[in-house]
Amino acid sequence: MSIEISPAWWTSAVVYQIYPRSFADSTGTGIGDLGGIRGKLDYLQQLGVDVVWLSPIYRSPQADNGYDISDYQDIDPLFGSLEEFDLLLAEAHARGIKIVMDLVVNHTSDEHAWFEESRSSLASPKRDWYIWRDGDGVDGHEPNPWRSMFGGPAWQLDAVTGQYYLHLFAAKQPDLNWENPEVRVAVYTMMNWWLDRGVDGFRMDVINLIAKVQSDLVGDSPGYVMGDQVHDYLQEMNREVFAGRDADLITVGETPGATVDDAIQFTSSDRLELDMVFQFEHVGLDHGPRTKFDNVPLKLVDLKRSLGRWQSGLADAGWNSLYFSNHDQPRSVSRFSDDGEFRYESATMLAAILHLHRGTPYVYQGDEIGMTNAGLTTIEQYQDIESLNYYAEEVAAGASPAAVLASLAFRSRDNARTPMQWDATPLAGFTTGTPWLEITPNHSTINVATDRAAGPRSIFEFYRRLIALRHESTVVSLGVFEMLEAEHPTLYAFTRTLGEETLLVVGNFSGVPSELPLAVAGELVIGNLVIGNYGEVPDIAGALLPWEVRVVRLR
Ligand code: TEU
C-alpha cells in the first residue's frame, strides 16, 4: 500500500520581499514603516502573493539597515511598535497572507545587551557568547587573516579587555558563538516567542556561517566558515522550534557559498533542517575574480548551466528558492536585460523564466513594476555601508573615483534599496518627508499607478497572472524541469512536465529577434499560448522578438 504525501503548501506559493525602510512611509519621516505596509496589503493581495518576508524591523542602530539587531524582541521605533506589528499580522492573515521575519542570528549589534555584557570583562558570564581571541603578535596582530565581507579585517580589537572579537560583517556586527549552548537556547527561545505571536516562518540571514570551523580560528588558514556543526544546529533548532508546527511554516536559509550538495543537506525533507535555501552561484557569475564590484558580462550559457544544475541537483532531493533580485543585488531588469526601450518585455521575460522554474519564487518589491537601478553618480548619494567602505578602500589604494563610482552604479546594494515608486508625484507617493535614500528620477514614468494603467503592457498584471498560474497548475509547482538548447547563446528554453501535461517556456535574452531552433519552433506552433509578453503573435514559428517570452502548453 502506498501512502500519498501531499506536497508542502510552499511548493505552490510565491513570496514577496519587503525592504521596510523603502516600501511605504505613513509618518512622514522619510523612512518606510509598518503603517505604510498595512496600507499596501490590498495591493499585495491583488498581486496574489502568499507570503511577505520582511527585512529586519527589530530594534537596531541601523549600521547595516537593521541587519545589526540590538533587541530581538522589539520593533525599532523607526518602523513602529509591537502593537502595530500585531495589527499588521492580523490584517495580513485576514487577507490570507503569511508574514515571515528575517532572523539575523549569525551576529547581533555591538549595542545588543548580550554583547555589552560580553565585552565588559574576561570573566563576564556572557564572555563566551561571542568569539574572542588574543592577537597573534604578527602583522596586524589579528588572530587570523580573515577579512570582513564589508572590507578590512574580520577582527576588531576591543580596548576593554585587549582581546579581538570576530565580525564577518561590519565591526558593529559581532558574531555570536554558536558553540555555546546558552546562545542556542536564547535564540530558540526568541524564535518561539515570535511564532507564538503568530509569525509564519523565518528567512535566516547567512545561516550557513553560524558554525565556524574551529581549527580555522587560529593560524592563517583561508577559513571559509561553514563548519559541519551547522547541520547539528539546524536539526536542533528544528526540534526546539519547528517541531509540531512546521507544516504551516516556511523556513528559508540564506547560504552564500553553498553548493548543490550542501543545499541537499539543508533542504532534504528527511533531514528536518530547512525548507529551502538561497544559493548564490547564479548571482556571482558576473562578478570579477577580485571583488563583486569588478563587473564582468554575464554569458547566458553560464546562467543556464548553473540554474540547470541546481534544478537537476535538487529535483528529487530538496527544494529550490528562485530569485533574480533582493535588497543585496542590483535590479534584475538593469542587470540581466534592457531597462530602456524594452523594459516591459525584459521585466516580464525575466519574471516568466524565473517563476516557471521548479522552486518557490521570490518577488523583490518593485520588480513587479520593473523598477531599475538607481543611477547614482556621486558617493554622497550612497548610504550602504558595503558601498561606502568599498569606495573608501579603493580610492585610498589609488583607484580613480570615477571608475569606482562606475562599478557602484552597476553593483551597489543601494540600487535595489531606493524608495518604492508608487506614483508620478514628486515624492513618488512613498513619503511626505525627505526620503532616506534618493527616489530614482524615473519614477515619473516607472511607478505603480502608471504601470497598472498600462492595460496589456502592465508588468504588475503579468506578475499577477504568473502567480495565479502557479496556484492553479501543478505542472508549474511540481513538474519535472528539463533544460533545452543549453548551448544556445540567447535563448533560455525548458520544459516542465507532470503526468500527461507539458509546458514549454522559451525566452529571448537579447534585443534582436532570435531565430528558433527547429525543434523548439515546431513545438511552439503546436502548443497553445499560456502566457507571453507580445500577445498572440501571428508569426509564431519564425523567431522570438526582442526579449520575448512564450509559454505554451504542449499537452
Ligand atoms: O547578506 C549576506 C551576504 O552574503 C551578501 O549578500 C552581502 O549582503 C553582501 O552583498 C556581500 O557582498 C546578508 C543580508 O542579506 C545583508 O543585507 C546583510 O548586510 C548581511 O547578511 C549581514 O547581515
Side-chain angles (χ1 to χ4, degrees), residues 49-376:
V49 295
D50 306 273
V51 181
V52 165
W53 147 32
L54 299 173
S55 274
I57 51 174
Y58 313 89
R59 211 174 257 276
S60 159
Q62 305 288 326
D64 186 19
N65 290 355
Y67 283 90
D68 50 315
I69 297 169
S70 55
D71 186 345
Y72 288 108
Q73 289 172 236
D74 202 1
I75 304 294
D76 197 285
L78 281 178
F79 300 123
S81 61
L82 278 171
E83 291 66 43
E84 196 145 20
F85 178 81
D86 290 339
L87 276 178
L88 169 64
L89 198 58
E91 291 171 12
H93 285 169
R95 289 168 175 78
I97 298 174
K98 294 179 185 264
I99 299 282
V100 159
M101 296 293 271
D102 211 313
L103 182 81
V104 189
V105 289
N106 173 70
H107 44 267
T108 68
S109 164
D110 66 340
E111 297 180 36
H112 194 291
W114 297 344
F115 187 74
E116 285 175 346
E117 205 179 322
S118 180
R119 85 178 343 162
S120 65
S121 92
L122 291 171
S124 156
K126 289 210 167 49
R127 184 64 172 181
D128 191 43
W129 280 43
Y130 293 82
I131 300 174
W132 295 96
R133 292 290 184 276
D134 291 325
D136 72 354
V138 293
D139 301 331
H141 302 290
E142 285 91 18
N144 72 19
W146 287 5
R147 307 282 298 168
S148 150
M149 310 265 188
F150 294 156
W155 296 95
Q156 176 68 38
L157 180 62
D158 196 47
V160 185
T161 56
Q163 279 194 319
Y164 290 81
Y165 66 84
L166 179 71
H167 60 90
L168 294 182
F169 293 89
K172 284 188 68 64
Q173 294 167 299
D175 281 51
L176 282 165
N177 177 20
W178 275 70
E179 290 286 300
N180 184 331
E182 288 172 18
V183 167
R184 306 203 299 272
V185 168
V187 169
Y188 305 151
T189 305
M190 172 271 284
M191 292 172 76
N192 274 312
W193 184 85
W194 281 106
L195 291 182
D196 293 343
R197 209 171 188 100
V199 310
D200 303 289
F202 298 99
R203 174 271 186 187
M204 303 183 189
D205 195 63
V206 291
I207 201 68
N208 60 327
L209 304 187
I210 58 176
K212 315 308 186 229
V213 179
Q214 294 294 308
S215 58
D216 280 351
L217 283 172
V218 289
D220 60 0
S221 61
Y224 200 73
V225 273
M226 186 156 68
D228 288 339
Q229 323 91 286
V230 67
H231 299 290
D232 302 333
Y233 299 157
L234 288 175
Q235 287 170 12
E236 180 182 69
M237 177 191 286
N238 203 299
R239 289 192 300 274
E240 300 298 323
V241 183
F242 305 132
R245 48 182 168 187
D246 54 336
D248 298 327
L249 303 179
I250 178 170
T251 58
V252 50
E254 189 208 26
T255 57
T259 62
V260 170
D261 286 339
D262 295 326
I264 290 173
Q265 296 202 51
F266 285 126
T267 68
S268 147
S269 58
D270 56 340
R271 291 176 56 90
L272 299 177
E273 295 187 19
L274 299 170
D275 295 332
M276 62 196 96
V277 296
F278 291 124
Q279 56 96 4
F280 277 60
E281 199 178 279
H282 66 299
V283 290
L285 297 172
D286 58 357
H287 294 179
R290 197 178 57 101
T291 79
K292 72 177 213 177
F293 293 100
D294 299 323
N295 301 318
V296 300
L298 175 71
K299 290 198 203 68
L300 184 67
V301 283
D302 292 343
L303 183 67
K304 289 190 287 186
R305 188 173 305 129
S306 172
L307 289 177
R309 259 196 25 262
W310 281 83
Q311 288 287 305
S312 53
L314 297 194
D316 302 314
W319 189 253
N320 274 293
S321 50
L322 308 171
Y323 75 100
F324 280 151
S325 51
N326 61 38
H327 64 294
D328 294 332
Q329 303 289 332
R331 284 286 178 182
S332 56
V333 70
S334 301
R335 181 185 195 175
F336 299 119
S337 55
D338 177 358
D339 63 5
E341 185 186 353
F342 292 111
R343 192 179 59 87
Y344 166 79
E345 291 77 5
S346 297
T348 48
M349 186 274 290
L350 289 175
I353 295 291
L354 188 78
H355 282 240
L356 295 170
H357 276 66
R358 189 171 194 267
T360 300
Y362 287 71
V363 179
Y364 179 63
Q365 67 180 44
D367 280 355
E368 76 279 17
I369 55 160
M371 276 177 62
T372 66
N373 272 356
L376 305 180

